[in-house]
């Protein structure tokens, strides 16, 4: 066992931080904010990362990567998530849509789609969830039928992040009837500029741009945009979701918030002139968060260690996802209690403690136990595959 | 960064699991708990014979040359088997304490004894009148030209009835702290076992004008406090590893029970209300194990790990209290009976949360280390 990053990975972290300090503009608050400058900025930012070979580091050389050490890749994930994910939507293509294409795509598809991803030029969105297919994803009903030399897609997706900006969509839909609902699904790559696609933003607690509905009305998709075997889309989707959960460094944002709270508590005095840090509840809250931050980080590193050793399993990512997402909820709530009444004031209000950081985090933490497979589904995975409990 | 066990570490873990499976069953755990000494003496002797109790001691004195990380693997297996041994007191506290004080002929000899035998050396720190191990001692060390003596009473001394030497914290006549090595068989030492919820072998030990042999004062003042801290930190981490093993015991029993018990025509483990409690136990046990490993590793590297030791204990205390009740809830009434094994684990786990630094004490240490 070894509980330190390799020296060269830490050296790289320092370089990456210096780069981000220089590149992140004053107005940047994170990906999930309501600001029209965000998506164009993230595209430029990714292209600059690509120029330095820092965008697709973990990818194999043949697909435009540098076959980087897994811990170097973890440094990227941590630093990006800590800074509010300035790669924008592209973390998805880098972490799991690209690797999915490497696993299941044809040589032509890899040539056509991986290069632009590695260059940082293209944004993808993920069309999986539907109004009637959330946790029960395989119940989805968006259909791709055979038309004149292509698929014709009809249906509706929902909770599609980044759909207003995306160039392409990874679409899971039903191409064939199956005896069971997991059969007859297929994975398609859909150009978002194809006629018949309508994107409707869903105003949410996190702002008007975090989620969308996407409607498909007789959308023509060429046959060469089918990834993996027709009717075997469920297997492709499961593999994609496994990559997705491994990629998350949800603990990295917790460290930023914890440092901010420690600074706030030690420098802010109460009405008696005593630093907040002397209150037993504040001390207890921060100590609990610090230990949980360590645990979340180690649970994430355990997945990467197991992958590097070739002994990855389904249960560890589920454990990590539940723990980290719930820690994000906890730090939002403990953080709001520490900053007190003015914690409800929003970013930009001069009286908002930490410029509304805790309130902003609290709002954006709400979806974390829901996104990427709800924590109830993760607990089912842990109980059934980890503990052998019956379904 | 690499969180996988090495081949050697897997061998330690698997070897310990096999030995304990072959030599200890729950009925023996009950017998040991009810015995006067409260210790699995045969298992402890076997472990010493195999060199496991000296795993973390330096090779040049006959130890295994490994570290606390490896010792914690052993600790977890003992916890899984609900075994009662002096591992935390001796290989945890005494070994770390004796390596932290200024070396003398006596400390060298005691370390060498630990490395090569099944001798038990145990801390006697908490005063009978005090709150816990870190409270200032009221027991006194009196030094005259004729020699030194100690008097006072200590509470919750682990494994005193099987110990050769007690490491006793005292207040010297100058008011400073001191730690003294006393033969358990010396005249004036009396001990009586406490009844304790976890079944741990804890003793009330009285010292009535007990003579301290020459060189028996091992440390004084700040050095004494630092060596005690080193011992308590190693003991806390190792005890947490044992408690993680207890949690594994609860998860095993809970998963078996929930996979077999039927109600309303279904196996209860298929109800999410039951399954998710067990899943949470898995999550928090894994988190504890990783925190233990990282903390042990930092101590092995010689780093200041006050924040990590204290934070790990605070986290473990919090989640283990929940786990104890989750395990009982999963089992229903049967888990409350003594003929069922669950209580062997849950009593130990709950007692652990109060030992080796309770939540308030460790929170305060961690808060200071965090700069608060």
């Amino acid at each position: 066992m070894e509980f330190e990053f390799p020296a060269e990975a830490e050296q790289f972290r320092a370089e990456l931080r210096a780069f981000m300090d220089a590149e992140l503009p004053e107005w940047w608050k994170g990906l999930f904010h309501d600001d029209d400058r965000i998506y164009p900025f993230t595209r430029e930012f990714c292209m600059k990362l690509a120029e330095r070979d820092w965008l697709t580091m973990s990818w194999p050389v043949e697909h435009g990567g540098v076959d980087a050490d897994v811990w170097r890749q973890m440094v990227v994930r941590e630093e990006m998530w800590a800074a509010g994910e300035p790669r924008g939507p592209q973390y998805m293509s880098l972490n799991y849509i690209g690797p999915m294409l490497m696993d299941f795509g044809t040589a032509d598809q890899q040539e056509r789609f991986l290069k632009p991803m590695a260059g940082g030029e293209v944004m993808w969105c993920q069309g999986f969830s539907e109004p009637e297919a959330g946790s029960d994803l395989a119940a989805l009903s968006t259909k791709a039928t055979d038309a004149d030399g292509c698929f014709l897609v009809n249906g509706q997706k929902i909770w599609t992040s980044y759909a207003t900006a995306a160039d392409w969509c990874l679409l899971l839909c039903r191409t064939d009837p199956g005896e069971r609902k997991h059969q007859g699904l297929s994975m398609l790559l859909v150009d978002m500029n194809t006629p018949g696609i309508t994107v409707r933003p869903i105003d949410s607690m996190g702002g008007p741009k975090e989620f969308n509905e996407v409607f498909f009305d007789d959308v023509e998709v060429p046959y060469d945009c089918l990834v993996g075997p027709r009717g075997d889309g469920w297997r492709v989707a499961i593999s994609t979701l496994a990559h997705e959960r491994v990629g998350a460094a949800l603990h990295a944002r917790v460290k930023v918030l914890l440092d901010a709270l420690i600074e706030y508590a030690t420098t802010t005095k109460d009405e008696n002139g005593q630093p907040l840090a002397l209150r037993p509840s504040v001390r207890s809250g921060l100590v609990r968060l610090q230990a949980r931050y360590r645990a979340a980080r180690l649970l994430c590193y355990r997945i990467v260690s197991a992958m590097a050793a070739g002994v990855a399993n389904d249960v560890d990512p589920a454990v990590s996802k539940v723990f980290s997402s719930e820690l994000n909820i906890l730090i939002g709530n403990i953080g709001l209690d520490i900053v007190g009444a003015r914690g409800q004031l929003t970013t930009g209000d001069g009286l908002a403690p930490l410029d509304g950081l805790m309130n902003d985090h609290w709002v954006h933490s709400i979806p974390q136990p829901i996104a990427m497979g709800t924590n109830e589904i993760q607990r089912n995975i842990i109980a059934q595959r980890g503990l052998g409990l019956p379904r | 960064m690499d969180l996988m066990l090495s081949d050697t570490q897997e061998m330690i873990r698997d070897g310990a699991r096999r030995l304990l499976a072959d030599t200890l069953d729950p009925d023996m755990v009950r017998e040991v708990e009810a015995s006067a000494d409260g210790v699995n003496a045969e298992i402890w002797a076997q472990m010493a014979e195999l060199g496991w109790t000296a795993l973390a001691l330096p090779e040049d004195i006959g130890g295994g040359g490994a570290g606390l990380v490896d010792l914690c693997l052993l600790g977890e297996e003992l916890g899984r088997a609900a075994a009662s041994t002096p591992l935390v007191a001796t290989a945890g506290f005494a070994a770390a304490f004796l390596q932290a004080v200024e070396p003398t002929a006596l400390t060298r000899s005691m370390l060498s004894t630990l490395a090569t035998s099944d001798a038990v050396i145990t801390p006697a720190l908490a005063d009978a009148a005090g709150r816990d191990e870190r409270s200032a001692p009221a027991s006194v060390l009196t030094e005259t030209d004729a020699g030194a003596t100690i008097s006072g009473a200590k509470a919750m001394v682990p494994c005193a009835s099987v110990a050769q030497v007690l490491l006793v914290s005292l207040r010297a006549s100058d008011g400073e702290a001191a730690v003294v090595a006393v033969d358990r068989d010396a005249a004036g030492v009396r001990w009586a076992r406490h009844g304790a919820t976890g079944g741990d072998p804890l003793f009330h030990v009285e010292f009535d004008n007990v003579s301290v042999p020459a060189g028996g004062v091992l440390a004084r003042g700040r050095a004494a406090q630092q060596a005690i801290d080193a011992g308590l930190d190693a003991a806390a981490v190792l005890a947490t590893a044992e408690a993680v093993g207890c949690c594994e015991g609860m998860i095993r029993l809970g998963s078996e029970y929930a996979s077999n018990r039927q109600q309303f025509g279904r196996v209860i483990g298929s109800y999410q209300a039951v399954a998710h409690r067990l899943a949470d136990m898995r999550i928090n046990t894994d988190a504890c194990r990783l925190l233990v490993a990282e903390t042990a590793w930092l101590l092995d590297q010689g780093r200041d790990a006050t924040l990590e030791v204290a934070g790990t204990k605070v986290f473990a205390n919090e989640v283990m209290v929940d786990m104890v009740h989750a395990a009982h809830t999963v089992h229903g009434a049967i888990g409350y009976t003594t003929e069922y094994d669950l209580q062997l684990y849950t009593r130990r786990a709950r007692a652990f949360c109060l030992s080796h630094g309770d939540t308030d004490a460790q929170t305060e240490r961690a808060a200071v280390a965090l700069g608060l």
Side-chain angles (χ1 to χ4, degrees):
Chain A
M1 290 182 125
E2 164 92 37
F3 287 88
E4 258 173 346
F5 276 85
E8 66 93 27
E10 288 299 350
Q11 167 68 27
F12 169 62
R13 191 191 296 275
E15 283 172 44
L16 189 57
R17 281 190 182 170
F19 169 79
M20 288 166 74
D21 282 346
E23 292 296 333
L24 291 183
E26 193 75 4
W27 56 262
W28 173 260
K29 298 257 180 231
L31 174 57
F32 299 112
H33 285 75
D34 179 24
D35 190 323
D36 289 337
R37 293 172 289 188
I38 287 176
Y39 290 131
F41 167 74
T42 63
R43 198 189 300 258
E44 275 174 43
F45 183 81
C46 283
M47 289 166 73
K48 285 181 182 167
L49 285 173
E51 280 169 25
R52 286 164 178 77
D53 280 340
W54 289 351
L55 189 66
T56 48
M57 289 204 316
S58 63
W59 287 17
V61 176
E62 55 176 310
H63 294 308
V66 292
D67 251 330
D69 173 83
V70 290
W71 298 109
R72 238 174 122 91
Q73 185 59 28
M74 180 53 75
V75 168
V76 174
R77 288 182 180 141
E78 288 182 337
E79 295 304 315
M80 295 300 162
W81 196 250
E85 195 49 271
R87 293 176 299 181
Q90 294 197 45
Y91 71 89
M92 296 196 300
S93 34
L94 309 175
N95 287 348
Y96 58 92
I97 302 178
M100 182 276 296
L101 282 167
M102 293 173 211
D103 290 346
F104 295 100
T106 62
D108 284 346
Q109 286 170 340
Q110 291 177 356
E111 176 68 23
R112 181 177 169 197
F113 292 107
L114 292 178
K115 280 258 164 62
M117 283 184 193
E121 303 151 26
V122 61
M123 294 192 204
W124 284 75
C125 63
Q126 176 191 310
F128 282 18
S129 294
E130 294 185 6
E132 302 304 325
S135 287
D136 185 8
L137 180 59
L140 62 83
S141 61
T142 294
K143 279 190 176 56
T145 49
D146 293 289
D148 224 4
C150 66
F151 289 114
L152 209 55
V153 176
N154 281 285
Q156 179 193 352
K157 293 291 172 178
I158 196 168
W159 314 124
T160 316
S161 301
Y162 327 117
T164 51
D167 306 297
W168 286 85
C169 177
L170 181 68
L171 186 75
L172 186 61
C173 58
R174 196 166 289 288
T175 46
D176 303 278
E179 280 178 27
R180 295 174 57 236
K181 63 186 176 182
H182 298 86
Q183 297 170 337
L185 300 175
S186 293
M187 193 71 87
L188 303 185
L189 310 173
V190 180
D191 184 340
M192 287 296 281
N193 292 314
T194 317
I197 297 178
T198 312
V199 176
R200 190 184 79 84
I202 302 170
D203 198 5
S204 74
M205 291 171 75
K209 294 204 168 68
E210 196 168 341
F211 298 110
N212 304 278
E213 285 179 291
V214 184
F215 299 90
F216 296 85
D217 184 14
D218 282 342
V219 174
E220 294 183 6
V221 177
Y223 280 130
D224 66 4
C225 286
L226 166 73
V227 197
R230 177 169 177 155
D232 207 10
W234 185 249
R235 192 164 61 90
V236 181
I238 290 298
S239 152
T240 309
L241 292 171
H243 283 298
E244 177 185 21
R245 283 196 285 272
V246 172
L250 298 180
H251 59 277
R253 187 75 183 156
V254 171
K255 181 70 167 80
V256 173
L257 298 163
L258 182 59
D259 288 346
L261 284 170
I262 291 171
E263 167 82 14
Y264 182 83
T266 48
T267 56
T268 308
K269 297 197 162 93
D270 67 12
E271 61 280 10
N272 300 317
Q274 292 293 313
L276 292 176
L278 291 181
R279 292 186 179 183
S281 62
V282 172
R283 298 169 90 71
S284 166
L286 293 175
V287 164
R288 289 174 65 214
L289 290 172
Q290 203 274 342
R292 281 171 186 268
Y293 160 68
R294 281 176 58 216
R297 179 171 175 266
L298 294 172
L299 287 168
C300 180
Y301 293 174
R302 177 171 71 164
I303 304 168
V304 176
S305 293
M307 279 179 64
V311 292
N313 64 68
D314 298 339
V315 178
D316 291 356
V319 169
S320 172
K321 198 270 167 173
V322 172
F323 193 90
S324 293
S325 58
E326 292 181 359
L327 173 57
N328 273 273
I329 300 287
L330 186 69
I331 196 169
N333 287 309
I334 290 181
L336 281 175
D337 283 341
I338 288 175
V339 299
R342 290 177 185 182
Q344 63 198 298
L345 302 180
T346 50
T347 302
D349 187 307
L351 291 179
L354 299 169
D355 193 23
L357 178 67
M358 295 319 305
N359 178 64
D360 184 62
H361 176 75
W362 175 76
V363 169
H364 289 104
S365 72
I366 291 173
Q368 285 199 24
I370 303 160
M372 296 193 294
T374 66
N375 285 9
E376 282 76 17
I377 294 292
Q378 306 303 326
R379 286 185 167 94
N380 287 348
I381 291 172
I382 297 164
Q384 289 159 14
R385 293 185 218 166
L387 302 175
L389 294 183
R391 292 174 75 87
Chain B
M1 194 69 66
D2 180 12
L3 275 53
M4 307 303 289
L5 295 180
S6 69
D7 291 348
T8 316
Q9 288 170 328
E10 283 187 359
M11 273 170 53
I12 293 171
R13 183 196 60 191
D14 296 346
R17 193 171 297 181
R18 260 198 314 276
L19 173 84
L20 290 162
D22 290 348
T23 51
L24 187 63
D25 64 36
D27 287 338
M28 289 167 67
V29 171
R30 288 178 174 82
E31 278 169 34
V32 165
E33 210 176 289
S35 71
D37 291 333
V39 169
N40 283 104
E42 279 159 46
I43 284 172
W44 179 247
Q46 257 179 302
M47 283 168 53
E49 180 75 29
L50 291 162
W52 292 352
T53 60
L55 203 55
L57 287 171
E59 277 173 303
D60 57 6
I61 63 165
L68 190 56
V69 170
D70 308 80
L71 213 48
C72 284
L73 300 173
L74 205 57
E76 181 177 334
E77 295 310 316
L78 291 172
R80 258 177 216 263
S84 173
T85 75
L87 189 79
V88 171
T90 300
F93 181 89
F97 172 87
L98 291 170
Q99 291 179 92
V101 295
E102 194 66 33
T104 64
L106 180 59
T107 62
R108 285 198 193 91
S109 138
M110 282 194 284
L111 280 167
S112 153
T113 304
L114 288 185
T116 54
S117 76
D118 64 351
V120 173
I121 302 180
T122 195
L125 303 178
D127 260 67
R131 180 174 164 91
D132 62 24
E133 307 97 313
R134 282 191 165 86
S135 308
S139 301
V140 293
L141 168 67
T142 310
E143 293 164 289
T144 65
D145 292 344
T149 59
I150 69 169
S151 288
K154 293 286 180 180
M156 303 179 75
V157 177
C159 307
S161 70
V162 297
Q164 288 188 352
V165 176
L166 307 173
L167 301 171
V168 191
S169 66
L170 301 152
R171 185 163 52 81
S173 41
D174 59 2
E176 292 266 38
V179 180
V180 167
V182 177
D183 276 356
R184 203 284 320 268
D185 286 333
V189 180
R190 283 193 308 276
W191 59 93
R193 190 165 171 196
H194 293 290
T197 202
D200 299 302
L202 297 174
F203 293 81
H204 184 261
V205 181
E206 288 179 304
F207 302 91
D208 182 13
N209 220 21
V210 178
S211 297
V212 179
V217 181
L218 302 179
R220 294 175 185 274
R222 207 174 141 67
Q225 202 48 59
Q226 284 171 345
I228 289 174
D229 280 340
L232 288 177
D233 280 352
V237 175
L238 190 49
T240 311
E242 287 195 353
V244 166
C246 285
C247 294
E248 288 293 348
M250 295 181 218
I251 292 171
R252 176 178 57 81
L253 290 173
S255 301
E256 282 169 13
Y257 185 78
S259 297
N260 291 304
R261 169 78 174 164
Q262 295 214 7
Q263 286 290 278
F264 305 105
R266 284 170 64 184
V267 177
I268 63 168
S270 68
Y271 295 115
Q272 289 185 335
V274 174
H276 287 190
R277 276 184 205 275
L278 288 162
D280 282 335
M281 290 169 69
R282 165 87 285 139
I283 293 166
N284 285 323
T285 301
D286 285 4
C288 281
R289 179 186 297 104
L290 290 169
L291 288 176
V292 163
E294 184 190 40
T295 307
W297 186 85
L298 289 168
L299 290 172
D300 283 341
Q301 304 295 308
R303 311 272 174 86
D304 175 14
T306 307
L307 175 62
E308 287 80 6
V309 172
T312 298
K313 188 63 171 59
V314 169
F315 176 77
N317 288 356
E318 181 182 343
V319 297
M320 285 184 194
V321 168
D322 287 347
M323 266 191 263
V324 163
H325 293 286
H328 276 294
T329 304
V330 166
H331 280 89
I334 192 74
Y336 193 60
T337 65
T338 51
E339 69 184 37
Y340 196 78
D341 294 341
L342 181 66
Q343 44 90 21
L344 299 176
Y345 295 116
T346 56
R347 286 186 292 110
R348 278 167 173 72
R350 188 62 184 89
F352 157 81
C353 299
L354 301 170
S355 311
H356 311 287
D358 60 29
T359 298
D360 271 4
Q362 295 289 20
T363 295
E364 189 49 30
R365 294 182 79 220
V368 171
L370 206 50
L372 300 178

